[in-house]
Amino acid sequence: MLKHTILFSLLILSQGLLFNLNAQRHLERLDRGMVAIPAGEDSVFISWRLLNSDPEQATFNLYRDGKLLNTKPLSVTNFTDDKATDDAQYVLRPIQDKKETDESSTCKPWDKPYWEIPLQTPYRYSPNDASVADLDGDGQYELVIHMTGRGHDNSHLGLTSDPIFQAYEMDGTLLWTINLGKNIREGAHYTQFMVYDLDGDGKAEIAMKTADGTTDGTGNVIGDPDADWVDRNQQSRTFGKIVTGPEYFTIFEGATGKELATTDYVPGRGNLGGWGGIGGNGQNDYTANRADRFLAAVAYLDGKLPSVIMCRGYYGRSVLAAWDWRDGKLSQRWVFDSSKPGLELFSGQGNHNINVADVDNDGKDEIIYGAMVVDDNGTGIFSTGLRHGDALYVGDLVPQRPGMEVWGPHENEEPVKGYENGYGEALYDALTGEIIWGKNPGWDVGRACAADIDPRYEGFEFWTNVDGLFDAKGNDIGPKPRSTNFVIWWDGDLLRELLDRNRITKWDWEQNKEKILLQDYECNSNNGSKATPVLSADLFGDWREEVIWRTRDNQKIRIYSTIYPTDYRYVTLMQDPQYRLSIAWQNVGYNQPPNTGFYIGESTFPKQ
């Protein structure tokens, strides 16, 4: 218990320092997010958020139907009630100066070990990626779900369904529907949607690429409602794609889905042959495969209010455009374009995903664009030359080193003149671009993961789809997990678990195998072989994460939250700036799991 007490003090101190550094950032207001989950016969697991506004030594009293359940104030943020009833009501009261405050939170137990939300799924559609934010300013999250019908990868021809977005309250109330229309193609690389409070008014906005015929949540149509820019010639090399016509960028009101502002999308597609790259899958084409690769993110570029980053291209030319939504007006902050003279080495370095972090610790965010980093002012900091890849992890992955690191796979199957580093997988310094170590030069490595899954080694462990498990120094430490998609904090320790398809597993480092902790056979994952959830995030309860899966009939989603007790506590991860922005970009491209801006893992323990 002494070790846990020491650890608790260190965690609170370290998180306090981090929050002080980011104190000028405007963050969303959250309530306690209290939940009570059936955990067995007559047993209910209750957990709640620790907030960054809580005193350093905050404690709590928990009541069931007026009866105090704890014998002494709770310093942890979870409790298991072994004498629960189905109709129990729980009340949580914070304690300050040895007295209960007026603030309290209440909840009743869920009927099932998951929270199920009924959906109004359009015919022949299914719920796909989602994002969360407080759309109406009540301190609670709402869901924005991308409903997908027939979609296509950029490399494929063919017509697609209209991309549709719906917003829901957590009780299943449908708030609005936005239909992007036929002039926006459906596919993982086309429609990225940012859901975030962009102007600091306490209510989130939605930012997306739009086109003629997009219908907002109030029925208003953007542009020409009759325009059809789809190439419908089945003999064409761009059949089913949209390679002509205007492209727009729109801000929607989160509470209603109403269009608030629309402008031209930057950059426009221009010459379809102007987006090709170098080596491997960079190459070039005139079929919009390279031209229509889109990414998006949210970043605090001024350290105070968030900006939207809308991007195009990563195999060759890469353009990032930063936008501000302030006082009802949309304005452009800067544009980074790798085709400009002097930026040649920044071409071809993008990823199938994107990441945001304050890598130089100045309170402002940088954009980690795969194998390169762009500063908060829109200038390129460095390019590693590692070229594009399919996965991306950013954080304090190696706590024994100063600063942050970046890990991911790369498609380096062909040599490229002018680039010395041809690693198929590599760990590099997020501030300098220094390659810390790499493996498999000349390989096309497709998938990769990073997490602290083995307590015998300091820092994260690293693995891909092609070789074994590596420690933070790049040493091979044995067999790897089969899962290489998502990771999640789920059970009671500080190691991270594996999230893949419709299951959560624990890596058994002694037996070198995965042990199933949770699996729902009535649910499906999304996005084919990527096998990702609708969303994984610290949505409510204590600092552990929730997972959302869609049911097989596509008419519901289920939210699972952990029922494992833990002695450790953190401020809700959604108030860690880097983690919160990770939830905003999780839906982009090949979805990636979130990471915090500080290290969580077994190496956090003081040496005994």
Side-chain angles (χ1 to χ4, degrees):
M1 189 65 188
L2 174 61
K3 181 168 72 172
H4 291 180
T5 302
I6 295 172
L7 175 62
F8 165 74
S9 299
L10 290 173
L11 295 180
I12 293 300
L13 176 61
S14 64
Q15 270 198 298
L17 291 173
L18 287 167
F19 286 128
N20 286 338
L21 287 172
N22 293 285
Q24 63 180 338
R25 294 188 182 218
H26 183 276
L27 299 176
E28 61 198 344
R29 178 180 64 88
L30 295 176
D31 63 14
R32 288 286 169 196
M34 187 177 173
V35 291
I37 307 166
E41 187 175 355
D42 298 328
S43 181
V44 168
F45 179 80
I46 307 101
S47 70
W48 56 92
R49 292 182 180 124
L50 182 70
L51 301 172
N52 60 9
S53 56
D54 286 328
E56 182 177 313
Q57 301 295 336
T59 56
F60 304 89
N61 278 337
L62 180 65
Y63 296 83
R64 183 216 319 121
D65 300 329
K67 179 183 178 180
L68 180 64
L69 297 179
N70 46 290
T71 56
K72 60 180 181 179
L74 297 166
S75 59
V76 295
T77 52
N78 63 89
F79 185 91
T80 300
D81 180 9
D82 292 325
K83 297 180 180 179
T85 59
D86 292 340
D87 58 352
Q89 179 164 300
Y90 294 93
V91 175
L92 180 77
R93 292 196 176 98
I95 300 171
Q96 291 185 19
D97 300 325
K98 298 182 179 180
K99 295 181 179 180
E100 292 182 351
T101 67
D102 293 335
E103 179 200 351
S104 65
S105 297
T106 64
C107 71
K108 293 183 178 181
W110 293 356
D111 294 332
K112 299 176 181 178
Y114 50 81
W115 184 255
E116 190 166 82
I117 300 176
L119 304 175
Q120 297 182 36
T121 308
Y123 181 59
R124 291 188 175 178
Y125 277 69
S126 62
N128 196 261
D129 302 334
S131 193
V132 294
D134 184 358
L135 301 181
D136 53 15
D138 64 355
Q140 299 180 355
Y141 284 134
E142 286 77 40
L143 283 161
V144 176
I145 303 176
H146 181 184
M147 295 289 185
T148 61
R150 181 178 63 251
H152 281 299
D153 186 87
N154 293 57
S155 60
H156 300 161
L157 303 181
L159 303 173
T160 72
S161 305
D162 297 354
I164 292 176
F165 292 82
Q166 293 181 335
Y168 288 91
E169 299 276 6
M170 287 294 181
D171 64 0
T173 301
L174 177 63
L175 298 177
W176 48 257
T177 298
I178 293 173
N179 188 326
L180 294 186
K182 57 180 172 286
N183 293 312
I184 294 288
R185 204 165 189 240
E186 178 62 82
H189 305 295
Y190 293 99
T191 304
Q192 325 303 346
F193 60 105
M194 292 296 102
V195 185
Y196 211 87
D197 179 9
L198 300 174
D199 57 4
D201 68 351
K203 300 179 181 180
E205 288 77 34
I206 322 294
M208 287 187 287
K209 183 176 184 285
T210 58
D212 283 337
T214 293
T215 303
D216 75 4
T218 66
N220 177 57
V221 178
I222 296 172
D224 182 353
D226 299 320
D228 184 352
W229 300 104
V230 180
D231 184 346
R232 300 186 182 277
N233 179 3
Q234 296 188 29
Q235 306 306 314
S236 172
R237 297 179 63 201
T238 57
F239 169 58
K241 299 185 179 184
I242 300 100
V243 295
T244 58
E247 300 176 284
Y248 306 131
F249 172 53
T250 299
I251 304 292
F252 299 93
E253 184 177 56
T256 66
K258 176 184 177 181
E259 175 203 4
L260 296 176
T262 295
T263 189
D264 290 337
Y265 189 88
V266 175
R269 63 178 70 87
N271 176 13
L272 295 184
W275 296 91
I278 47 176
N281 282 333
Q283 302 174 0
N284 207 351
D285 66 68
Y286 293 85
T287 61
N289 186 15
R290 270 62 180 167
D292 277 2
R293 299 279 178 164
F294 299 99
L295 300 171
V298 173
Y300 287 77
L301 301 177
D302 63 4
K304 298 178 182 179
L305 288 174
S307 302
V308 180
I309 315 297
M310 301 301 288
C311 316
R312 188 177 211 143
Y314 45 76
Y315 286 113
R317 181 189 179 197
S318 298
V319 183
L320 293 72
W323 298 89
D324 292 343
W325 174 250
R326 310 281 190 266
D327 299 321
K329 295 181 180 179
L330 183 60
S331 61
Q332 190 175 97
R333 177 176 284 266
W334 50 253
V335 175
F336 174 89
D337 189 340
S338 72
S339 69
K340 291 184 177 180
L343 298 178
E344 291 84 0
L345 292 181
F346 288 88
S347 287
Q349 306 305 312
N351 237 52
H352 286 291
N353 27 67
I354 194 170
N355 212 302
V356 177
D358 180 9
V359 302
D360 56 8
N361 203 32
D362 66 353
K364 303 175 183 179
D365 290 322
E366 282 68 51
I367 314 302
I368 297 85
Y369 206 73
M372 69 179 191
V373 174
V374 176
D375 206 352
D376 55 79
N377 62 4
T379 60
I381 299 180
F382 63 80
S383 171
T384 64
L386 290 170
R387 303 214 307 273
H388 105 278
D390 291 3
L392 188 63
Y393 288 76
V394 180
D396 190 6
L397 312 182
V398 187
Q400 54 267 48
R401 292 186 77 258
M404 295 186 182
E405 294 79 32
V406 181
W407 163 254
H410 302 274
E411 295 185 12
N412 271 312
E413 68 274 30
E414 292 184 12
V416 180
K417 184 178 180 181
Y419 290 96
E420 298 179 359
N421 301 300
Y423 295 118
E425 59 202 74
L427 182 72
Y428 72 81
D429 187 287
L431 180 60
T432 67
E434 172 196 357
I435 308 298
I436 300 168
W437 54 266
K439 307 286 182 180
N440 298 315
W443 283 53
D444 176 354
V445 177
R447 302 297 295 162
C449 255
D452 188 359
I453 60 172
D454 190 329
R456 298 173 296 182
Y457 305 92
E458 287 196 54
F460 278 41
E461 283 72 51
F462 305 85
W463 67 103
T464 71
N465 61 303
V466 300
D467 44 25
L469 187 65
F470 300 101
D471 67 11
K473 296 180 180 179
N475 299 311
D476 191 330
I477 58 176
K480 65 182 177 184
R482 294 181 63 185
S483 300
T484 55
N485 285 332
F486 261 53
V487 289
I488 186 171
W489 283 293
W490 187 257
D491 65 9
D493 62 28
L494 295 176
L495 298 174
R496 216 164 184 192
E497 284 64 59
L498 309 172
L499 169 58
D500 195 3
R501 302 187 184 279
N502 59 358
R503 64 180 181 267
I504 294 172
T505 60
K506 180 81 171 178
W507 177 243
D508 183 338
W509 61 87
E510 295 176 321
Q511 301 297 321
N512 294 321
K513 63 181 182 180
E514 296 178 42
K515 293 184 176 180
I516 295 177
L517 301 182
L518 172 69
Q519 185 163 16
D520 189 337
Y521 292 99
E522 296 179 358
C523 288
N524 276 338
S525 57
N526 286 331
N527 303 314
S529 64
K530 303 302 180 286
T532 53
V534 172
L535 183 71
S536 71
D538 180 14
L539 298 176
F540 34 64
D542 63 28
W543 60 275
R544 272 85 59 81
E545 297 172 288
E546 283 67 44
V547 60
I548 306 178
W549 287 309
R550 62 184 172 99
T551 56
R552 290 186 179 276
D553 63 4
N554 294 319
Q555 300 306 305
K556 299 175 287 292
I557 55 173
R558 291 178 179 175
I559 305 178
Y560 279 92
S561 187
T562 188
I563 55 173
Y564 288 87
T566 184
D567 290 336
Y568 311 115
R569 77 176 198 175
Y570 287 91
V571 170
T572 173
L573 302 187
M574 294 296 261
Q575 288 185 323
D576 172 63
Q578 181 174 329
Y579 184 93
R580 182 63 186 89
L581 295 175
S582 298
I583 304 309
W585 56 245
Q586 187 179 134
N587 67 78
V588 172
Y590 293 164
N591 302 12
Q592 295 291 282
N595 269 319
T596 56
F598 59 97
Y599 176 75
I600 298 178
E602 287 296 316
S603 298
T604 305
F605 284 118
K607 298 297 184 183
Q608 296 299 301

